[in-house]
């Protein structure tokens, strides 16, 4: 079973301030906290997918501010990071007819 996960930051648990999602400084503690929350929620979903029988989990950092670098080094290595393939028209890598389930995290 192949699962494709798309994440965003605004709807994550523990996020209650815009600086946690949009701080202009990549090294700011607030933004790092947001990235930690993103990674923790992604890891919980990845674990759940594999526990439910997934053989392949593809995960996209869909929060534009992150420039596809929102997950910390603690991201579960069993998941394969995918990217936005194009923006015009919008195409998401790895989301194709082989995918059995789609999961959305932090979407607001």
């Amino acid at each position: 079973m192949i699962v494709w996960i798309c994440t965003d930051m605004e709807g994550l648990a523990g996020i209650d301030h815009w600086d946690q999602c949009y701080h202009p400084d990549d090294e700011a503690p607030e933004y790092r906290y947001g990235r930690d929350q993103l990674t923790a929620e992604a890891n919980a979903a990845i674990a759940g997918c594999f526990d439910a029988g997934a053989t392949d989990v593809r995960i996209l950092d869909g929060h534009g501010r992150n420039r596809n670098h929102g997950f910390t080094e603690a991201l579960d290595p069993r998941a394969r990071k995918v990217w936005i393939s194009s923006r015009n028209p919008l195409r998401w890598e790895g989301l194709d007819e082989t995918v059995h389930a789609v999961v959305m995290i932090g979407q607001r």
Side-chain angles (χ1 to χ4, degrees):
M1 175 173 58
I2 299 171
V3 180
W4 190 88
I5 301 173
C6 182
T7 67
D8 201 4
M9 291 180 79
E10 289 89 352
L12 297 174
I15 299 299
D16 62 2
H17 194 277
W18 284 114
D19 279 349
Q20 295 168 319
C21 301
Y22 292 101
H23 200 289
D25 178 2
D26 285 350
E27 302 305 318
E30 301 92 339
Y31 184 59
R32 178 61 190 216
Y33 173 82
R35 292 181 59 222
D36 289 341
Q37 291 300 106
L38 175 66
T39 303
E41 290 205 22
N43 283 343
I46 293 164
C49 290
F50 282 110
D51 287 351
T55 56
D56 181 13
V57 175
R58 304 166 185 177
I59 190 162
L60 170 75
D61 175 6
H63 187 67
R65 158 65 178 93
N66 294 338
R67 298 177 305 277
N68 282 334
H69 299 291
F71 302 119
T72 69
E73 57 282 348
L75 183 68
D76 188 326
R78 296 178 295 173
R80 179 170 59 98
K81 288 198 291 186
V82 294
W83 310 94
I84 296 174
S85 299
S86 71
R87 295 204 179 267
N88 191 18
L90 184 63
R91 293 182 190 216
W92 293 322
E93 178 187 0
L95 182 58
D96 55 32
E97 66 278 352
T98 66
V99 172
H100 299 98
V102 173
V103 175
M104 306 298 264
I105 297 173
Q107 304 294 323
R108 182 180 140 189

